[in-house]
């Protein structure tokens, strides 16, 4: 069968999908189970295997190969996973270990690359900018990631870190990052970082959605939102100045904030090396399952 199997490995859940083909979102089967990462690396492998077996039972057939989106990337030289915030995966031969356990072949990519692949080939870019050749996908949630797609294919780069926008430095005096630097994009405008910034200003805990909705009545919320807009615009301009994509798609919880598409874009326009900003800045179409659809597309 030519069905495409994809798995999105997340810190809290593992999602699987079987697509009829690469041209349409015809879903044959779709399933989620918990990652249970607190039980360690071997348990995660067994959970992935469990999901595959459950899907195979329902679909009535097993795949030969599976596309997988991972938190972090496979190091091209060492063939081990690196840069994952699910830290028990780092330094492990995830691809080789899964192939041994399941008897299947795997094509792996960073989850942000999978997000960008899906929105380019099946989602909002295909709808709004159908002739786009260069697309950048951004995920802004508890962390920040990025993925680069050129002519429909994910670009990984020499070190496997193509598109890692989340670890560009916005403020060298900013908060410490787990990557060893200070003031990375992820530590400035992720949802987690913005909630911490609000707490620093106000001494109060608040969820990001409440911070945004209270910005007219709460001066600290207003400052936090302005902090987001200023730094988002600056960070976005780096992508545009270096890559100059046809479209940028914003995913993740922070990407739902409407002000990013108005005030955030105006802020980016101040910094780009052009008199106008013509890049399409788009909301995603595929929701939180874009990653698993993109993982399946790694097999096309």
């Amino acid at each position: 069968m030519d069905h495409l199997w994809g798995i999105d490995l997340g810190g809290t859940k593992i999602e699987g999908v079987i697509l009829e083909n690469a041209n349409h979102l015809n879903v044959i089967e779709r399933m989620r189970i918990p990652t249970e990462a607190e039980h360690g690396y071997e348990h995660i492998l067994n959970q992935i295997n469990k999901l595959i077996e459950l899907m195979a039972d329902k679909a009535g057939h097993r795949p030969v190969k599976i596309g997988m989106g991972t938190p972090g990337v496979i190091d091209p030289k060492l063939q081990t996973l690196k840069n994952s915030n699910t830290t028990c995966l780092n330094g492990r031969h995830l691809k080789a270990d899964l192939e041994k356990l399941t008897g299947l072949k795997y094509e792996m990519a960073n989850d942000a690359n999978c997000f960008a692949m899906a929105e380019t080939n099946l989602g909002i870019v295909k709808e709004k900018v159908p002739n786009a050749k260069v697309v950048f996908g951004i995920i802004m949630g508890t962390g920040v990631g990025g993925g680069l797609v050129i002519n429909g294919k994910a670009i990984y780069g020499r070190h496997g870190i193509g598109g890692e926008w989340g670890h560009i430095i916005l403020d060298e005096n900013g908060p410490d990052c787990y990557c060893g630097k200070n003031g990375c994009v992820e530590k400035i405008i992720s949802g987690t970082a913005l909630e911490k910034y609000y707490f620093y200003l106000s001494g109060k805990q608040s969820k990001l959605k409440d911070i945004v909705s209270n910005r007219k009545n709460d001066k600290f919320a207003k400052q936090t939102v302005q902090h987001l807009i200023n730094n988002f615009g600056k960070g976005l301009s780096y992508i545009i100045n270096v890559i100059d994509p046809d479209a940028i798609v914003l995913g993740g919880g922070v990407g739902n904030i409407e002000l990013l598409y108005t005030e955030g874009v105006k802020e980016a326009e101040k910094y780009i090396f052009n008199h106008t900003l013509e890049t399409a800045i788009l909301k995603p179409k595929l929701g939180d399952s874009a990653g698993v659809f993109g993982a399946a597309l790694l097999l096309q």
Side-chain angles (χ1 to χ4, degrees), residues 50 57 107 130 184 215 264 269:
K50 176 182 176 180
D57 284 345
E107 187 71 32
C184 292
R215 68 187 184 278
E269 196 163 16

Side-chain angles (χ1 to χ4, degrees), residues 81-205:
L81 199 79
K82 65 180 180 181
N83 301 341
S84 175
N85 52 12
T86 304
T87 54
C88 68
L89 298 174
N90 289 327
R92 299 287 196 149
H93 290 88
L94 179 64
K95 183 173 184 290
D97 290 342
L98 273 175
E99 289 181 345
K100 182 178 179 181
L101 176 65
T102 65
L104 306 173
K105 295 294 183 182
Y106 292 81
E107 187 71 32
M108 294 186 175
N110 177 264
D111 49 11
N113 276 321
C114 291
F115 165 77
M117 282 275 289
E119 290 294 348
T120 298
N121 293 294
L122 295 172
I124 195 64
V125 178
K126 185 177 183 180
E127 179 181 315
K128 299 290 188 182
V129 195
N131 297 318
K133 291 181 171 56
V134 181
V135 177
F136 199 90
I138 288 173
I139 297 177
M140 293 190 296
T142 54
V144 173
L148 176 62
V149 172
I150 298 179
N151 295 325
K153 301 289 185 181
I155 303 300
Y156 308 119
R158 175 74 175 183
H159 304 94
I161 58 171
E164 279 291 0
W165 175 69
H167 294 278
I168 288 175
I169 295 173
L170 279 179
D171 177 6
E172 62 184 15
N173 297 313
D176 294 345
C177 183
Y178 73 89
C179 75
K181 300 192 292 290
N182 298 87
C184 292
V185 170
E186 181 167 306
K187 288 298 179 180
I188 303 292
I189 60 171
S190 68
T192 307
L194 291 164
E195 289 173 359
K196 286 182 178 178
Y197 185 78
Y198 177 79
F199 179 76
Y200 167 76
L201 293 176
S202 69
K204 296 182 290 185
Q205 300 277 3

